[in-house]
Amino acid sequence: MIARLAPKEPEGKLVRRAAVAHLDLALILPGIGKIDEACDAARRAISSRRVVPSGHWRVLEVVKVVEGRRMPEAADLRAAYDGLKQSGTAST
Protein backbone atom coordinates (compact mmCIF):
# COMPACT_ATOMS: atom_id res chain seq x y z
CA MET A 1 0.00 0.00 0.00
CA ILE A 2 2.78 2.43 0.89
CA ALA A 3 4.51 1.79 -2.42
CA ARG A 4 1.26 2.54 -4.19
CA LEU A 5 0.88 5.80 -2.31
CA ALA A 6 4.49 6.82 -2.82
CA PRO A 7 4.30 9.97 -4.90
CA LYS A 8 6.41 10.85 -7.85
CA GLU A 9 6.05 14.52 -6.95
CA PRO A 10 6.86 16.02 -3.53
CA GLU A 11 3.49 17.77 -3.18
CA GLY A 12 -0.10 16.70 -2.77
CA LYS A 13 -2.37 14.50 -0.72
CA LEU A 14 -0.61 11.26 -1.58
CA VAL A 15 2.55 12.42 0.16
CA ARG A 16 0.61 13.04 3.37
CA ARG A 17 -1.22 9.72 3.03
CA ALA A 18 2.08 7.90 2.56
CA ALA A 19 3.45 9.62 5.69
CA VAL A 20 0.36 8.51 7.65
CA ALA A 21 0.76 4.97 6.31
CA HIS A 22 4.39 4.93 7.49
CA LEU A 23 3.25 6.12 10.92
CA ASP A 24 0.57 3.43 11.07
CA LEU A 25 3.20 0.84 10.22
CA ALA A 26 5.63 2.28 12.79
CA LEU A 27 2.99 1.95 15.50
CA ILE A 28 2.13 -1.65 14.62
CA LEU A 29 5.63 -3.10 14.19
CA PRO A 30 6.78 -2.96 17.84
CA GLY A 31 3.86 -5.21 18.74
CA ILE A 32 5.37 -7.96 16.62
CA GLY A 33 8.93 -7.35 17.76
CA LYS A 34 10.15 -5.41 14.74
CA ILE A 35 11.57 -2.36 16.46
CA ASP A 36 14.23 -1.65 13.82
CA GLU A 37 11.59 -1.59 11.13
CA ALA A 38 9.40 0.66 13.27
CA CYS A 39 12.28 3.13 13.53
CA ASP A 40 12.72 3.08 9.77
CA ALA A 41 9.02 3.63 9.13
CA ALA A 42 8.90 6.51 11.62
CA ARG A 43 11.98 8.11 10.04
CA ARG A 44 10.41 7.83 6.60
CA ALA A 45 7.29 9.58 7.84
CA ILE A 46 9.34 12.35 9.45
CA SER A 47 11.57 12.81 6.41
CA SER A 48 8.53 13.23 4.17
CA ARG A 49 7.96 16.55 5.97
CA ARG A 50 4.24 15.87 5.68
CA VAL A 51 3.42 14.80 9.23
CA VAL A 52 0.84 17.31 10.42
CA PRO A 53 1.11 18.64 13.98
CA SER A 54 -1.92 16.61 15.06
CA GLY A 55 0.04 13.47 14.16
CA HIS A 56 3.22 14.30 16.08
CA TRP A 57 2.04 12.33 19.12
CA ARG A 58 2.07 9.20 16.96
CA VAL A 59 5.75 9.66 16.22
CA LEU A 60 6.38 10.25 19.92
CA GLU A 61 4.76 6.89 20.72
CA VAL A 62 7.33 5.13 18.53
CA VAL A 63 10.16 7.20 20.02
CA LYS A 64 9.11 6.16 23.53
CA VAL A 65 9.02 2.47 22.61
CA VAL A 66 12.46 2.65 20.99
CA GLU A 67 13.91 4.55 23.94
CA GLY A 68 12.29 2.13 26.37
CA ARG A 69 13.98 -0.78 24.67
CA ARG A 70 17.29 1.09 24.70
CA MET A 71 17.77 0.62 20.98
CA PRO A 72 20.89 2.17 19.40
CA GLU A 73 18.60 4.05 17.00
CA ALA A 74 16.84 5.84 19.88
CA ALA A 75 19.04 8.94 19.86
CA ASP A 76 18.69 9.47 16.10
CA LEU A 77 14.96 8.93 16.20
CA ARG A 78 14.59 11.34 19.15
CA ALA A 79 16.62 13.95 17.23
CA ALA A 80 14.37 13.52 14.19
CA TYR A 81 11.30 13.89 16.41
CA ASP A 82 12.75 17.01 18.03
CA GLY A 83 13.27 18.46 14.55
CA LEU A 84 9.66 17.63 13.74
CA LYS A 85 8.51 19.44 16.89
CA GLN A 86 10.47 22.52 15.87
CA SER A 87 8.60 22.60 12.58
CA GLY A 88 5.24 22.76 14.38
CA THR A 89 3.45 21.98 17.59
CA ALA A 90 3.80 18.55 19.18
CA SER A 91 2.55 16.95 22.33
CA THR A 92 5.15 15.59 24.76
Side-chain angles (χ1 to χ4, degrees):
M1 180 54 75
I2 292 173
R4 198 173 120 219
L5 292 174
K8 304 237 184 313
E9 299 177 21
E11 301 296 324
K13 290 181 182 177
L14 290 182
V15 177
R16 185 165 293 133
R17 288 182 183 160
V20 170
H22 280 294
L23 281 178
D24 289 342
L25 184 60
L27 288 167
I28 292 168
L29 288 169
I32 57 173
K34 297 188 176 190
I35 307 298
D36 290 341
E37 291 178 38
C39 286
D40 184 53
R43 273 194 225 107
R44 287 176 186 255
I46 293 168
S47 68
S48 75
R49 300 176 59 183
R50 292 290 184 237
V51 177
V52 295
S54 63
H56 289 188
W57 69 269
R58 300 172 79 208
V59 178
L60 182 58
E61 290 297 313
V62 178
V63 171
K64 287 179 179 180
V65 167
V66 173
E67 288 176 337
R69 303 256 177 109
R70 302 199 190 306
M71 301 292 294
E73 298 88 347
D76 289 340
L77 189 58
R78 173 57 79 167
Y81 172 71
D82 289 343
L84 179 66
K85 285 194 315 185
Q86 291 176 3
S87 69
T89 316
S91 54
T92 54

